[in-house]
Amino acid sequence: MSDGAARVLERLRGAGPAGISGALLSGDLGVSRAQVWKHVESLRARGYGIDGEPGGGYRLTALPDRLYPERIRDGLATRWLAREFHHLDETDSTNRVALEMARAGAPHGTTVVAEGQTAGRGRLGRSFFSPPHASLYTSIVLRPQIDTAEAPTLIQASAIGVAEAVEAEVSDPSDVEIKWPNDVLLGERKTSGILMELGAEATRVAFVVLGIGVNLNVPRESLPEEFRELATSISAHTGRRIDRVAFAQRLYHRLEEVLDAHAAGGFAAIRPRFESRFRMTGRTVRVRDLDGVESSGRCAGIDADGALLLESEDGRRRRVVAGDVTVVRRREDAA
Ligand code: BTN
């Protein structure tokens, strides 16, 4: 958006329902009324609803359902997250874009958002369904002062931030749960996934890209058939359309707060918030590690560093630091 259009938008927002005359706008901005009209047209092309004619006044009537920088910044009170913000209409993967920016030196908190992705990446080489204008696809560059061994707990911190943002949208927050390590479920169906990719120098993290996808306004019937039973969106769960801009802003606030807490006190500082949303303890689960090796056992909770504790039938405990977990049997069913 041009500076001129941004200034016209600012004046229109300030004027509220009364609107503002073209003469006042042109005087305020120091440009001709024809130029004001051009800016109004460019704002309309961007999706803003603006009543008015070149000879009269203008009134802002509708905001576009787009994650534009000017929409995200309006009311965003974060200190470092999403202060540098890049909006893309479409890309292959916001993680790919953010990784490139991180390698080129992008600062801590740089955020990329896309309206749609053509090759959204999921964990373990899967893809992430990313239809345009329906959901939130965002990637954040972090430069944490941690060793690579501690990095997995950053994903857990992020899952807390996502879960808290989702909880704010639903009438019963206990519908939200975190499936270790980082899926956020709503009514036992996946509504969000997180993919962390990192760059390291020896054992020190140089940068992390946290890629977060949250299904917001996707009807269940438009989810790919293979996920339909296991996935949902917030709107499908609540029966209400989700304001994508407000959701993104809330997510950025929650993430900044939980990532700051993690930076100050490590996983220990956020562990209660993770555990209060973790419902796998006592359930029989199957784990597939990063090499594809499967094992199962009873989930005995989360260890002090965020690892999953798996107990075999003979009572021996094993720690799982990364992998994919499926619940085989619920505690209630096992009784
Ligand atoms: C998973 O559930 O397997 C993780 C999904 C992560 C998807 C997000 S969408 C934004 C960012 N860009 C990507 O290509 N992937 C992540």
Side-chain angles (χ1 to χ4, degrees):
M1 183 167 57
S2 70
D3 274 2
R7 289 167 66 209
V8 168
L9 180 60
E10 199 185 305
R11 297 293 193 290
L12 287 170
R13 295 203 72 160
I20 182 167
S21 75
L24 208 57
L25 270 173
S26 113
D28 260 12
L29 270 59
V31 297
S32 68
R33 293 186 66 168
Q35 193 58 43
V36 167
W37 170 248
K38 273 195 184 150
H39 291 321
V40 166
E41 284 292 278
S42 77
L43 288 168
R44 285 178 175 153
R46 210 168 157 78
Y48 289 92
I50 301 171
D51 273 358
E53 296 300 328
Y58 299 104
R59 196 165 61 90
L60 185 63
T61 55
L63 299 171
D65 174 25
R66 295 288 181 273
L67 302 159
Y68 291 147
E70 73 271 15
R71 295 230 50 212
I72 295 291
R73 278 192 198 113
D74 184 24
L76 188 74
T78 53
R79 284 180 304 110
W80 53 266
L81 202 149
R83 300 319 305 184
E84 181 164 334
F85 186 82
H86 302 266
H87 171 268
L88 303 165
D89 277 330
E90 185 184 271
T91 185
D92 50 353
S93 153
T94 55
N95 260 37
R96 204 260 315 141
V97 175
L99 274 169
E100 223 169 88
M101 289 178 174
R103 287 191 193 107
H108 185 61
T110 301
T111 298
V112 180
V113 81
E115 297 290 339
Q117 299 184 116
T118 52
R121 300 180 190 166
R123 291 175 70 236
L124 307 169
R126 299 187 188 118
S127 58
F128 189 79
F129 179 61
S130 313
H133 314 304
S135 291
L136 178 65
Y137 320 110
T138 188
S139 297
I140 300 150
V141 176
L142 302 177
R143 298 195 178 273
Q145 305 290 312
I146 56 171
D147 278 342
T148 47
E150 233 190 294
T153 62
L154 266 181
I155 322 186
Q156 289 165 317
S158 316
I160 294 170
V162 175
E164 290 179 351
V166 175
E167 279 163 10
E169 298 287 346
V170 300
S171 54
D172 184 356
S174 72
D175 285 348
V176 179
E177 95 182 72
I178 299 177
K179 175 173 169 282
W180 188 92
N182 58 6
D183 284 347
V184 174
L185 310 188
L186 189 51
E188 301 191 343
R189 293 193 164 102
K190 175 166 168 166
T191 189
S192 164
I194 304 174
L195 173 68
M196 185 180 81
E197 300 186 82
L198 62 81
E201 276 155 29
T203 58
R204 206 69 188 152
V205 170
F207 60 79
V208 157
V209 167
L210 268 182
I212 301 173
V214 190
N215 297 333
L216 299 180
N217 293 318
V218 193
R220 290 232 7 251
E221 58 277 13
S222 19
L223 290 166
E225 216 176 318
E226 65 269 31
F227 310 132
R228 211 166 290 159
E229 259 324 290
L230 300 171
T232 193
S233 68
I234 305 182
S235 71
H237 183 86
T238 58
R240 167 176 79 67
R241 192 166 177 79
I242 304 304
D243 180 333
R244 295 160 70 228
V245 172
F247 184 85
Q249 290 175 325
R250 186 175 306 110
L251 175 68
Y252 295 146
H253 285 135
R254 298 315 310 151
L255 275 177
E256 182 176 274
E257 185 274 324
V258 72
L259 290 169
D260 279 345
H262 180 269
F267 184 65
I270 56 165
R271 185 176 174 181
R273 286 159 76 181
F274 189 87
E275 284 185 321
S276 68
R277 298 174 171 90
F278 177 77
R279 317 260 160 78
M280 281 183 168
T281 306
R283 295 179 180 180
T284 302
V285 296
R286 189 169 51 239
V287 180
R288 194 160 72 96
D289 71 17
L290 298 183
D291 299 319
V293 179
E294 288 203 352
S295 53
S296 56
R298 196 184 69 91
C299 172
I302 297 292
D303 213 351
D305 62 353
L308 185 82
L309 293 170
L310 203 62
E311 200 169 79
S312 48
E313 281 192 352
D314 60 8
R316 267 186 310 164
R317 279 193 177 185
R318 187 162 83 76
R319 286 162 40 80
V320 183
V321 287
D324 211 25
V325 180
T326 319
V327 174
V328 179
R329 207 157 36 128
R330 295 173 178 284
R331 185 179 28 210
E332 312 80 85
D333 304 339

